[in-house]
Amino acid sequence: MADVLIVGAGLAGLTAARVLSRAGQRVRVLEASSEIGGRVKTNDVDGFTLDAGYQVLFPAYPAVRRQLDLPSLDLVPLPSAAAVRRGPQADVIGDPIRDPGGILSTLKTNLLPFGDKVRVAKLALQMRGPEPWQLLRGPDESTEHYLKRQGFSDAALDHFFRPFFGGIFLKRDLSTSARLFRYYFRMLMDGGAALPRHGMSAVARQLAAGTDVDTGVRVTRLTPHGRQVTVSTSAGELNADHVIVATDANTAEQLTQEETARGQVSSTYLYYASPSMLDDQERLLLNLDGGLIHNAHWLSNVIPARAPQGQHLLVVTVLGLPEPDDAALDARVRGELGRWYGALDVERLRTLKVERIPFAQYPQPTEYASTLPGHATHLPGVILASEVTSMSGIQGAMESGEKAAAIVLNDLEVLSRPRGA
């Protein structure tokens, strides 16, 4: 019998297991699918390394710094800038300190009026002052309203903030909480963004090292009795002193009967192989032409090992779940890429995969944090660990796993840690 059974081997569950195992608890993790990591996983397709969706790691996340050995992940920093595409033209906008190669283009581009460039610098100074977690507190408003109050023009919102932060929020309208915008802005300032050289699944593998994880085991019911909880699974019944439910929010709601589901924000990704280098740009490509493409990235320009020798890898992000037919979606995206690179070169692209992720995030509008569930459930001995207790993404999931483990361990120091710290 385990001291703690954890249902779900995503980042929240694996983080909880890691903390508890290090504290001497007997831990067992049950995962319904055949893989660990939840949405953070990597697949090999014809020798190309494809992450599930376009994911990056913010090394400045506090939970990441506490729980992961970053040097062992072999992180490759991504340029702290973006190339804004208008047909064949690309203007670089970015951080002149972290991306000095883009200084001249950033200064010269007419996409951002000079006053907005000054306001970006001013905003960065403002964000430097508080502790990062303090940026998640105080009165809330939409990111759009916040940026307008800072004096940013419509051009700045349309040419940079919507396409760039729309890729983080997976919503281009900037309706997401300004608290989150400030927090992510600070994370980018403190540590930029990076990718494990061999795929994001390296994060899950490191968290799972030394942990007893059973894949292909589906949990169907939780029954508390006395001081234990019986866990009914597809492989039989198990007992534990504590159960941590670290599944997706909908499954957690079914198992705990708590109102954990918060809706969904969806996204779609297309992965292309190219026999020739159509673009030597290492930065994220933001699309100002309109249409389906939100952003794109030639990942093999940053990490050549993500593609076989002599090949190149392009990842395209489309917001939402448009065009249920893969061929029709592919054709529309290729038509838009043709305005960048020419129809003949785009015809030579080979489609590796079309991936739709119905639940990529949950909506996080103004004051969303006041509606989030806690870790406790009405079932004795059953605890919730999920990004839905904090914020959607890696920090939220890992932070929630830490706090679920802290409840088992009665670790008051961790339990008193502010959200985002």
Side-chain angles (χ1 to χ4, degrees):
M1 186 186 80
D3 295 325
V4 185
L5 275 172
I6 298 176
V7 185
L11 297 194
L14 293 175
T15 301
R18 182 183 183 88
V19 173
L20 290 166
S21 296
R22 289 180 168 183
Q25 298 284 309
R26 293 173 299 172
V27 181
R28 186 174 179 183
V29 182
L30 307 178
E31 168 57 44
S33 73
S34 60
E35 299 177 278
I36 65 171
R39 298 195 304 276
V40 180
K41 58 187 177 182
T42 305
N43 296 302
D44 181 280
V45 177
D46 296 342
F48 291 83
T49 301
L50 310 183
D51 289 326
Y54 181 74
Q55 301 185 54
V56 299
L57 181 68
F58 291 178
Y61 277 148
V64 163
R65 291 183 170 181
R66 286 190 294 269
Q67 299 299 330
L68 295 175
D69 177 3
L70 292 177
S72 295
L73 289 177
D74 194 9
L75 293 178
V76 179
L78 300 177
S80 295
V84 182
R85 295 293 311 224
R86 294 175 291 178
Q89 181 179 347
D91 293 272
V92 173
I93 299 177
D95 184 341
I97 297 175
R98 287 185 171 272
D99 187 9
I103 291 177
L104 187 59
S105 178
T106 299
L107 292 174
K108 290 176 60 178
T109 181
N110 60 6
L111 289 175
L112 283 183
F114 178 77
D116 287 314
K117 296 171 186 176
V118 173
R119 290 181 191 99
V120 170
K122 182 180 178 182
L123 182 63
L125 288 174
Q126 291 176 359
M127 295 301 101
R128 277 285 185 211
E131 291 294 323
W133 60 267
Q134 292 176 314
L135 300 173
L136 292 169
R137 296 191 168 186
D140 203 6
E141 58 192 316
S142 71
T143 296
E144 179 179 31
H145 189 258
Y146 172 76
L147 291 171
K148 286 184 175 180
R149 279 204 307 107
Q150 303 302 310
F152 285 101
S153 67
D154 288 340
L157 268 63
D158 294 339
H159 296 163
F160 178 70
F161 288 107
R162 293 189 199 281
F164 185 82
F165 282 91
I168 296 175
F169 301 145
L170 299 181
K171 289 173 68 68
R172 201 177 179 104
D173 62 5
L174 298 179
S175 62
T176 301
S177 164
R179 294 173 181 168
L180 275 180
F181 166 78
R182 292 191 292 265
Y183 187 77
Y184 289 137
F185 194 97
R186 177 63 181 271
M187 291 297 101
L188 286 166
M189 288 174 57
D190 287 354
L195 283 170
R197 189 176 303 276
H198 300 293
M200 286 291 290
S201 62
V203 173
R205 287 197 303 270
Q206 189 180 116
L207 287 173
T211 299
D212 183 9
V213 181
D214 293 332
T215 57
V217 178
R218 182 173 298 279
V219 173
T220 57
R221 187 177 180 185
L222 305 176
T223 309
H225 54 89
R227 297 193 176 189
Q228 291 190 337
V229 181
T230 296
V231 180
S232 302
T233 80
S234 56
E237 290 191 344
L238 301 168
N239 291 300
D241 296 330
H242 300 276
V243 172
I244 295 176
V245 177
T247 64
D248 64 89
N250 290 332
T251 301
E253 187 166 290
Q254 294 169 11
L255 290 174
T256 66
Q257 301 304 305
E258 301 287 344
E259 294 183 1
T260 57
R262 289 297 185 272
Q264 62 190 43
V265 179
S266 307
S267 54
T268 303
Y269 304 90
L270 296 93
Y271 308 83
Y272 294 102
S274 176
S276 60
M277 180 179 284
L278 302 186
D279 194 334
D280 63 1
Q281 182 61 258
E282 296 183 357
R283 303 171 181 89
L284 182 68
L285 305 175
L286 307 180
N287 180 27
L288 287 195
D289 284 343
L292 286 177
I293 297 176
H294 181 75
N295 63 42
H297 198 188
W298 288 94
L299 277 179
S300 54
N301 288 351
V302 183
I303 310 177
R306 291 291 186 98
Q309 188 172 4
Q311 295 286 307
H312 307 271
L313 173 61
L314 173 66
V315 182
V316 172
T317 300
V318 175
L319 301 184
L321 301 172
E323 290 286 7
D325 179 70
D326 283 358
L329 176 62
D330 183 31
R332 289 182 63 186
V333 169
R334 285 173 177 268
E336 294 178 19
L337 290 173
R339 295 198 288 270
W340 294 4
Y341 303 120
L344 291 178
D345 281 329
V346 169
E347 283 181 8
R348 300 178 65 200
L349 296 178
R350 178 164 60 93
T351 306
L352 296 168
K353 186 178 183 181
V354 176
E355 182 170 41
R356 293 174 174 82
I357 302 181
F359 188 100
Q361 293 185 17
Y362 60 88
Q364 298 167 104
T366 302
E367 297 291 355
Y368 86 96
S370 64
T371 71
L372 296 181
H375 295 273
T377 75
H378 74 282
L379 298 176
V382 177
I383 302 162
L384 178 66
S386 167
E387 63 178 11
V388 79
T389 67
S390 177
M391 67 186 82
S392 196
I394 291 173
Q395 169 67 25
M398 293 180 65
E399 171 188 309
S400 186
E402 290 176 325
K403 291 196 173 184
I407 293 173
V408 174
L409 300 172
N410 196 29
D411 186 336
L412 299 182
E413 180 180 352
V414 173
L415 288 174
S416 63
R417 186 182 291 150
R419 187 171 66 97

